[in-house]
Amino acid sequence: MVTVSSWLRSPCPALVVDAVGAVHGMNDAAKTLFPEQALPPEWRHGESVHVADRSYAAHRVDNEDGSVTWWLLDETDLLLERERAGLLAQMSSALMTSLNPERCMNVVAELAAAHLADEVLVIAPPSGDGHPMTRCRRGEAPTYERQHVDVEEVIGLSEALRGFPPVPSRWIDPAAAPEWLAAGVVSIVVTPLPGHGVPAGALILMRRDEQFTEDEEAFARLFASRAGVAISAASLFTQQAVITDRLTRDLLPPVLRRYEHVELAGRYRASGDTERVGGDFYDVHELPDDQLFVVLGDVCGKGLDAAAQTGKVRTAVHALLQVVTDHEKMLHALNQALLTTDESRFITTVVGTVRPVDEGLHVRLTSGGHLPPLIIRANGEVEVARTKGTLVGILPRIKTATDEVVLAPGDSCLLYTDGITEANGGPLGDEEFGEERLHRALAACGGMPAEALVEHVHMLASQWVGGGEHDDMAVLAIAAPRRRPS
């Protein structure tokens, strides 16, 4: 039970209203709130009361004499915190819409200009061509650029950009601010943008007509903590994407150059639609006396793990070619290299040496457990190269057999991986493309240029698979150009 003396001394405003709405009494806190002891005319009993930028929730207590005591609880700070929490949630959602650093900086500047300041500058740590900077005025679109500026001219900015030691927000005297930062403002606050273990930059807030309050600066720090995480996440993602792209480019088969006496063409398709690299590979290396060393292979497995092993094999072959070009010695050395590095991933491969001769091209072919190459004569006859061998990277010693063929003008030699012949598809979706079907298709390819040949084989396999799953596919064609009439 509330006594008369207790409610009068309560720090919480309280007033007594009779049945017709007339005020019969106020405690001291209410009198302070309503000096003239008159309620706002727009206030309806039971609703919140708004007085001098403060908001009070009205709570009713019924008295025995029929009057009502209204207790007014100040909820301004609670409502502000709720509004800010909702705003921070909205900001966080907007900040996570992009993993592009430039776009993310623009979003940070737009949000800050809309809710925190009249003008905003977001500045990131320097790169080779200056500081990335986004400037935004309230109601305008942000502008992004890179500038070479002296951050030491702004107190606390260089520390914020380094991210260490941790620094608080700094209030900057506008009169001492450099021209590149701002002009015509009355208040400047520099707030660090903390990131994922790395500095994301700094948020500079500027106002033209009024000073920032400490409460507003504290809220700006909360926003900056979320903005910094978003910017650093975008930067780290971009860095990883660049690294991945560079590494991937090194793992992809090379672009084959043109030669006067030899036509070369290759096609590669990784196993998954989202994969760019896999376990199939081919390379062409130049040797003395206009000779070419070609290699095509298939690493056990697929995806990134197989691609990593592919990179090791290609590097090993390139290094071995500096000291040995004999096929048998090359494959034995490669076998030993794989045994000492990764016994769990064997490979199948076929290597060849191509040398121009008067008749066309002399080609030596040696298989290391791989499908033998196919010879397509100009008249459409298809021959299987007489080469075979054991898998590379499993046994201490391997056995190989080398075949030598001469490609007359219009003849071709096709090296391919089992991703072509073992491609599942067809009318029912569960039939392999197979060696026989490949041979029949090649019989119509006599005299084709190397580029047309690999494109045709690749197209047939892709059509056979359709939208189904498939293994890595690699095709390499060597062709003797048709001689032009003299």
Side-chain angles (χ1 to χ4, degrees):
M1 180 176 179
V2 180
T3 64
V4 173
S5 59
S6 64
W7 82 273
L8 289 174
R9 294 194 303 269
S10 173
C12 179
L15 47 92
V16 179
V17 180
D18 63 17
V20 296
V23 177
H24 277 246
M26 294 184 178
N27 65 3
D28 292 339
K31 292 176 182 178
T32 302
L33 191 61
F34 307 108
E36 299 179 359
Q37 299 190 26
L39 296 177
E42 69 275 7
W43 180 56
R44 297 180 181 180
H45 297 166
E47 296 181 349
S48 296
V49 184
H50 300 282
V51 182
D53 296 328
R54 306 294 294 180
S55 180
Y56 297 85
H59 294 268
R60 174 190 182 115
V61 176
D62 293 320
N63 301 320
E64 293 180 355
D65 61 359
S67 64
V68 176
T69 301
W70 290 98
W71 293 86
L72 304 181
L73 303 181
D74 191 339
E75 60 177 1
T76 308
D77 294 336
L78 176 61
L79 292 176
L80 180 61
E81 288 303 316
R82 287 178 180 174
E83 180 183 354
R84 287 179 172 177
L87 182 58
L88 286 174
Q90 177 186 348
M91 289 176 169
S92 298
S93 178
L95 288 169
M96 293 304 172
T97 58
S98 176
L99 286 175
N100 177 278
E102 177 181 337
R103 171 59 183 158
C104 199
M105 289 177 65
N106 288 347
V107 171
V108 170
E110 283 186 296
L111 290 171
H115 301 286
L116 303 176
D118 298 319
E119 185 174 347
V120 175
L121 179 66
V122 180
I123 179 169
S127 59
D129 51 354
H131 286 272
M133 301 170 61
T134 294
R135 188 181 298 272
C136 185
R137 291 184 175 89
R138 180 169 295 175
E140 298 181 8
T143 58
Y144 175 90
E145 61 182 343
R146 290 177 180 269
Q147 287 188 9
H148 291 277
V149 296
D150 185 3
V151 296
E152 299 293 341
E153 294 180 314
V154 182
I155 298 174
L157 182 55
S158 61
E159 294 88 350
L161 294 175
R162 285 196 298 269
F164 187 85
V167 293
S169 299
R170 295 290 183 93
W171 302 76
I172 306 300
D173 180 5
E179 292 184 3
W180 62 265
L181 177 58
V185 298
V186 300
S187 185
I188 302 176
V189 175
V190 178
T191 301
L193 292 169
H196 284 296
V198 294
L203 176 68
I204 303 177
L205 306 174
M206 293 162 276
R207 280 188 177 167
R208 300 189 178 278
D209 300 319
E210 59 181 345
Q211 296 286 336
F212 288 101
T213 66
E214 292 186 2
D215 189 53
E216 289 171 333
E217 185 266 333
F219 179 67
R221 289 201 307 270
L222 292 176
F223 169 75
S225 65
R226 288 158 172 78
V229 169
I231 292 175
S232 66
S235 298
L236 290 173
F237 176 83
T238 299
Q239 292 174 11
Q240 292 298 320
V242 170
I243 293 172
T244 300
D245 183 67
R246 290 176 180 173
L247 293 175
T248 299
R249 286 203 304 265
D250 291 339
L251 293 175
L252 288 171
V255 177
L256 302 180
R257 56 162 294 188
R258 293 179 179 273
Y259 295 93
E260 181 180 358
H261 302 291
V262 182
E263 286 186 8
L264 293 172
R267 287 291 183 277
Y268 173 77
R269 181 180 179 183
S271 61
D273 292 336
T274 59
E275 299 279 3
R276 292 181 59 193
V277 294
D280 289 6
F281 67 95
Y282 59 79
D283 272 312
V284 177
H285 303 272
E286 297 181 357
L287 300 178
D289 302 325
D290 293 331
Q291 297 186 96
L292 297 176
F293 187 91
V294 300
V295 55
L296 178 140
D298 184 356
V299 171
C300 171
K302 55 186 177 181
L304 293 177
D305 290 339
Q309 183 72 352
T310 294
K312 296 177 184 178
V313 172
R314 294 174 65 189
T315 301
V317 170
H318 180 75
L320 290 171
L321 277 174
Q322 309 306 310
V323 294
V324 58
T325 58
D326 178 79
H327 292 187
E328 184 176 5
K329 292 180 180 179
M330 164 67 74
L331 292 177
H332 278 291
L334 183 59
N335 185 65
Q336 292 302 312
L338 291 179
L339 287 176
T340 56
T341 56
D342 190 351
E343 296 184 10
S344 65
R345 287 198 179 273
F346 63 87
I347 71 168
T348 68
T349 186
V350 59
V351 297
T353 303
V354 184
R355 176 170 54 89
V357 294
D358 293 340
E359 298 86 349
L361 296 176
H362 179 271
V363 184
R364 297 181 67 245
L365 298 166
T366 306
S367 172
H370 198 82
L371 296 168
L374 300 177
I375 313 302
I376 304 98
R377 299 298 181 183
N379 61 6
E381 293 183 7
V382 179
E383 304 170 7
V384 180
R386 296 187 298 276
T387 177
K388 59 183 179 179
T390 51
L391 300 174
V392 179
I394 288 186
L395 301 175
R397 299 286 299 175
I398 62 172
K399 295 181 179 181
T400 62
T402 299
D403 189 17
E404 299 188 23
V405 298
V406 174
L407 301 180
D411 293 348
S412 303
C413 176
L414 185 72
L415 286 64
Y416 60 98
T417 60
D418 59 10
I420 299 294
T421 53
E422 294 180 3
N424 274 306
L428 299 180
D430 59 353
E431 184 180 359
E432 284 191 355
F433 188 70
E435 297 279 350
E436 184 179 347
R437 187 174 281 105
L438 176 61
H439 288 196
R440 289 201 306 268
L442 293 177
C445 298
M448 270 191 181
E451 188 71 29
L453 177 60
V454 296
E455 185 65 30
H456 184 65
V457 173
H458 186 267
M459 179 191 67
L460 289 176
S462 298
Q463 289 178 341
W464 185 260
V465 170
E469 296 182 357
H470 60 86
D471 200 355
D472 300 324
M473 299 178 183
V475 182
L476 178 65
I478 307 163
R482 289 184 177 273
R483 291 194 175 100
R484 297 176 180 176
S486 57

